[in-house]
Amino acid sequence: MVNFADVLIDESKKKNSVLVVGLDPDVKFLPDCLLKNVDYSSNESISDAIYEFNKIIINAVADHVVAVKPQLAYYEVYGSYGIKALEKTISYARSKELIIINDAKRGDIGSTSAAYARAFLGDGAISGDMVTVNPFLGSDGYMPFIEAAQENNKGVFLLLKTSNPSSYEIQDLKLENGELLYFKLAEEIEKLACKTIGVNNYSFIGAVVGATYPEEAKRIRETLPHSIFLVPGFGAQGGKAEDLSVFFDVSGNGAVVSSSRGIIYSYMNETDDWNKTTENEMQGYINEAAIKAKEQLNEVRFSSNR
Amino acid sequence: MVNFADVLIDESKKKNSVLVVGLDPDVKFLPDCLLKNVDYSSNESISDAIYEFNKIIINAVADHVVAVKPQLAYYEVYGSYGIKALEKTISYARSKELIIINDAKRGDIGSTSAAYARAFLGDGAISGDMVTVNPFLGSDGYMPFIEAAQENNKGVFLLLKTSNPSSYEIQDLKLENGELLYFKLAEEIEKLACKTIGVNNYSFIGAVVGATYPEEAKRIRETLPHSIFLVPGFGAQGGKAEDLSVFFDVSGNGAVVSSSRGIIYSYMNETDDWNKTTENEMQGYINEAAIKAKEQLNEVRFSSNR
């Protein structure tokens, strides 16, 4: 019996990194070298370019990230060929021994969540190691994911306090006892997490807490000591490294931090004419951006600003 | 400028039906006639059987339903081949002039929701006419769907009070002013819906309200008079036709009611040895079940139990 929290923490120690790189391929940001033969009327042709882009990213970051995180929307937009590109990307990431977090934010009634759990945490073609789950339908919507994760030695991240500006509208609603909704949800997750911890005292049941909300994260960290946080919003969304120390425990564990646009499109900031960037140059820029982000995170996660 | 609410209502009048049939294909419930040549190690082979099943359903129900509703999980579980089966199913449903509601329950940060909106409400291979959307991330998570729907003359259904037993855990949380969460969300949706109505006084911004919660539906109907309800949970999940009159307005409009397992697997109740059901028999049983459900709903939607 493996607890996936331990796998994630061991991998993070091995790589000396808590950085997760998002694989959110958007064709309009790809340089000419990847698009020169693309037929824009063909999802197959576009999806081939997406896979080539993902391979460049994976080659560039493999030694410096604890996991890669495909964002499902960017594949679904190209239908079955997009999902085929995702399958090939997952295979390629596995060949580099990378942990795969599918950022799917799924959640449905029990029987349907069970089917999603088979898709993302089973042995299917798009299964990774962990998946993000939306808890809006309540426990019978998220328990099938937790059960599949337990059964297959994988993990989940439940959405708790997301990184986007309007996340307060539902997640921060004040309840009749004066508590905020995300805080109540954190207490519910802790009830499950504290019963499913591994050797590092963390559960395979994690939580998504945005880098853009460090004040909230401090309270959530106290309420939910046994969940690893997946922290999106670092970089392009405005989350700053220096604010992130509150997400980590005293050993520098307890969170993995995701960046997508700031790393995978880093070549766009490097020259006036980024369209002309070559594949080798792309890989170089992405590699540098990943190393820089990894080091920024290592600086704060071992700091004592708690 | 077409308001999709009017398209839905016109179609419902033409067919004299508010029934939506869910396309939730589960291989373990298919009879031998569809499985005899299936190689279970091949997603392609399984997905072919799923498409054949969906064609039988569509042929059986096309004249009696206002829309079909593929449930994405049942396709994702077979990866790119599953999504290919969905693409073919959508094409086949279009050839029968059926409205397609993708039950995807997507929702993410703004830029990602925009990508999902392109996938489901754009011109992509898995685009339908309407999509279900999870509002847990707040307005910047659902507005990209509403904007895409407005631009492309399509529609959305925001999750409001879902049909599953644990939906109360988050959706019925009592807020500091004594209001329930789903009620506050209904008020937010109404602010958008009242500004986007068509000739029938309904908006293309609809809401999901479970058949299993008729008491709640009564209050939601009053708060949210301009949204069409997508009502799941009728049939197999326990929602009874006689409880559904509160979902409709005095003209019998304002809601479409979804049934999946009770109709598409109706042949399982007809013989002891349902595995031996032929394709023709399946089509007959599914057709009868759809007609029966349609008529049950028509009885209650024009009743005055309000």
Side-chain angles (χ1 to χ4, degrees):
Chain A
M1 268 291 294
V2 175
N3 192 307
F4 204 80
D6 294 323
V7 177
L8 202 60
I9 290 169
D10 289 349
E11 180 74 4
S12 154
K13 284 177 184 160
K14 196 180 94 186
K15 299 262 184 82
N16 189 29
S17 177
V18 291
L19 178 66
V20 173
V21 164
L23 300 174
D24 307 7
D26 191 331
V27 177
K28 65 178 182 287
F29 302 136
L30 300 193
D32 295 343
C33 64
L34 290 179
L35 296 177
K36 60 182 183 292
N37 298 318
V38 167
D39 168 4
Y40 288 95
S41 69
S42 158
N43 282 342
E44 185 172 12
S45 176
I46 296 171
S47 299
D48 285 346
I50 284 175
Y51 176 55
E52 290 306 313
F53 179 50
N54 283 348
K55 278 201 294 187
I56 291 170
I57 301 170
I58 289 168
N59 289 337
V61 306
D63 291 341
H64 305 287
V65 297
V66 62
V68 288
K69 182 173 75 65
Q71 170 48 265
L72 267 284
Y74 292 93
Y75 303 88
E76 284 193 359
V77 76
Y78 301 110
S80 57
Y81 288 111
I83 300 300
K84 186 82 198 165
L86 175 64
E87 291 172 359
K88 287 157 65 184
T89 299
I90 288 173
S91 261
Y92 192 73
R94 287 218 182 286
S95 78
K96 302 285 179 186
E97 297 181 348
L98 283 166
I99 291 172
I100 293 140
I101 303 168
N102 272 312
D103 198 354
K105 298 188 176 67
R106 299 300 193 256
D108 212 298
I109 66 167
S111 51
T112 303
S113 277
Y116 276 129
R118 285 202 302 281
F120 290 105
L121 299 173
D123 55 4
I126 60 169
S127 279
D129 301 297
M130 305 187 78
V131 66
T132 56
V133 173
N134 186 318
F136 189 64
L137 281 86
S139 56
D140 61 23
Y142 58 75
M143 284 310 294
F145 290 95
I146 290 175
E147 286 156 13
Q150 186 145 38
E151 197 168 317
N152 302 324
N153 300 327
K154 298 189 171 189
V156 303
F157 288 111
L158 286 164
L159 303 189
L160 184 54
K161 174 64 183 161
T162 55
S163 58
N164 56 316
S166 71
S167 70
Y168 76 92
E169 290 174 7
I170 290 185
Q171 297 161 29
D172 293 21
L173 282 174
K174 197 178 263 191
L175 307 182
E176 57 176 342
N177 61 0
E179 231 177 44
L180 301 186
L181 189 154
Y182 71 78
F183 195 68
K184 180 178 169 55
L185 186 57
E187 288 174 339
E188 293 301 317
I189 299 173
E190 175 59 16
K191 285 181 200 162
L192 298 164
C194 70
K195 285 186 240 156
T196 51
I197 56 171
V199 296
N200 289 289
N201 277 323
Y202 282 101
S203 165
F204 64 88
I205 307 167
V208 173
V209 183
T212 41
Y213 297 109
E215 278 306 310
E216 288 82 348
K218 204 166 174 173
R219 283 194 62 208
I220 298 173
R221 180 74 289 168
E222 285 161 15
T223 310
L224 189 48
H226 298 105
S227 279
I228 296 180
F229 294 165
L230 171 63
V231 185
F234 170 56
Q237 286 185 57
K240 295 185 180 64
E242 57 265 33
D243 293 334
L244 296 182
S245 61
V246 293
F247 288 80
F248 297 95
D249 66 23
V250 289
S251 311
N253 292 322
V256 294
V257 180
S258 168
S259 176
S260 302
R261 288 170 274 175
I263 291 175
I264 67 176
Y265 302 122
S266 51
Y267 51 87
M268 294 177 72
N269 306 319
E270 297 295 337
T271 65
D272 290 342
D273 200 5
W274 62 265
N275 271 307
K276 304 289 171 236
T277 319
T278 66
E279 296 190 18
N280 272 340
E281 287 166 349
M282 286 172 75
Q283 192 166 319
Y285 290 132
I286 295 169
N287 175 264
E288 282 168 27
I291 293 173
K292 192 176 157 197
K294 173 185 81 168
E295 290 174 349
Q296 282 181 325
L297 293 172
N298 283 342
E299 253 172 59
V300 294
R301 75 178 169 121
F302 296 115
S303 77
S304 56
N305 176 29
R306 268 177 291 265
Chain B
M1 268 292 294
V2 174
N3 192 305
F4 203 81
D6 294 321
V7 176
L8 202 61
I9 290 170
D10 288 350
E11 180 74 2
S12 155
K13 285 179 183 160
K14 196 180 93 187
K15 299 258 184 84
N16 190 30
S17 177
V18 290
L19 178 66
V20 173
V21 165
L23 300 175
D24 307 6
D26 191 330
V27 177
K28 66 178 179 285
F29 302 138
L30 301 192
D32 295 343
C33 64
L34 290 179
L35 297 178
K36 60 182 184 289
N37 298 318
V38 167
D39 169 4
Y40 288 95
S41 70
S42 156
N43 282 342
E44 183 172 15
S45 178
I46 296 171
S47 299
D48 285 347
I50 284 175
Y51 176 56
E52 290 306 314
F53 180 50
N54 283 348
K55 277 201 294 187
I56 292 171
I57 301 170
I58 290 168
N59 289 337
V61 307
D63 292 340
H64 306 287
V65 297
V66 62
V68 288
K69 180 173 76 65
Q71 171 49 263
L72 268 282
Y74 292 92
Y75 304 87
E76 284 192 359
V77 77
Y78 300 110
S80 57
Y81 288 112
I83 299 299
K84 186 82 196 169
L86 174 64
E87 291 172 0
K88 287 157 65 184
T89 299
I90 289 173
S91 254
Y92 191 74
R94 288 217 181 285
S95 77
K96 302 287 180 183
E97 297 182 346
L98 284 167
I99 291 171
I100 293 140
I101 303 168
N102 273 312
D103 199 353
K105 299 190 174 66
R106 300 299 193 255
D108 212 297
I109 65 166
S111 52
T112 304
S113 277
Y116 276 129
R118 285 201 304 280
F120 289 105
L121 300 172
D123 54 5
I126 60 169
S127 278
D129 301 298
M130 304 186 80
V131 66
T132 55
V133 173
N134 186 318
F136 188 66
L137 280 85
S139 55
D140 62 24
Y142 58 75
M143 285 309 295
F145 290 96
I146 290 175
E147 286 157 13
Q150 186 145 39
E151 196 170 315
N152 302 325
N153 300 326
K154 297 189 171 188
V156 303
F157 288 111
L158 286 165
L159 302 190
L160 184 55
K161 174 64 183 160
T162 56
S163 58
N164 56 315
S166 71
S167 70
Y168 75 92
E169 291 174 6
I170 290 185
Q171 297 161 27
D172 293 22
L173 282 174
K174 196 178 262 189
L175 307 182
E176 59 176 342
N177 62 2
E179 234 177 43
L180 301 186
L181 189 155
Y182 71 77
F183 196 68
K184 181 180 167 56
L185 185 57
E187 289 175 337
E188 294 300 318
I189 300 173
E190 174 60 16
K191 285 181 200 162
L192 299 165
C194 71
K195 286 187 237 153
T196 51
I197 56 171
V199 296
N200 290 289
N201 277 322
Y202 281 101
S203 165
F204 64 88
I205 307 167
V208 174
V209 184
T212 41
Y213 298 110
E215 278 307 309
E216 288 83 347
K218 204 167 173 172
R219 282 194 63 207
I220 298 173
R221 181 75 288 170
E222 285 161 14
T223 312
L224 190 47
H226 297 105
S227 278
I228 295 179
F229 294 166
L230 171 63
V231 184
F234 170 56
Q237 286 185 59
K240 294 185 179 65
E242 57 266 33
D243 293 334
L244 297 183
S245 61
V246 293
F247 288 80
F248 297 96
D249 65 23
V250 288
S251 312
N253 294 321
V256 295
V257 180
S258 170
S259 177
S260 301
R261 289 170 272 176
I263 291 176
I264 67 176
Y265 302 123
S266 52
Y267 53 86
M268 294 178 73
N269 306 320
E270 298 294 338
T271 66
D272 289 341
D273 200 6
W274 62 265
N275 272 308
K276 304 290 172 232
T277 319
T278 66
E279 296 191 17
N280 272 340
E281 287 166 350
M282 288 173 73
Q283 192 166 321
Y285 290 132
I286 295 170
N287 175 263
E288 281 168 28
I291 292 173
K292 192 176 156 197
K294 172 185 85 170
E295 289 174 350
Q296 283 180 324
L297 293 172
N298 283 342
E299 252 172 58
V300 295
R301 75 180 170 119
F302 297 115
S303 78
S304 55
N305 176 28
R306 268 177 291 266

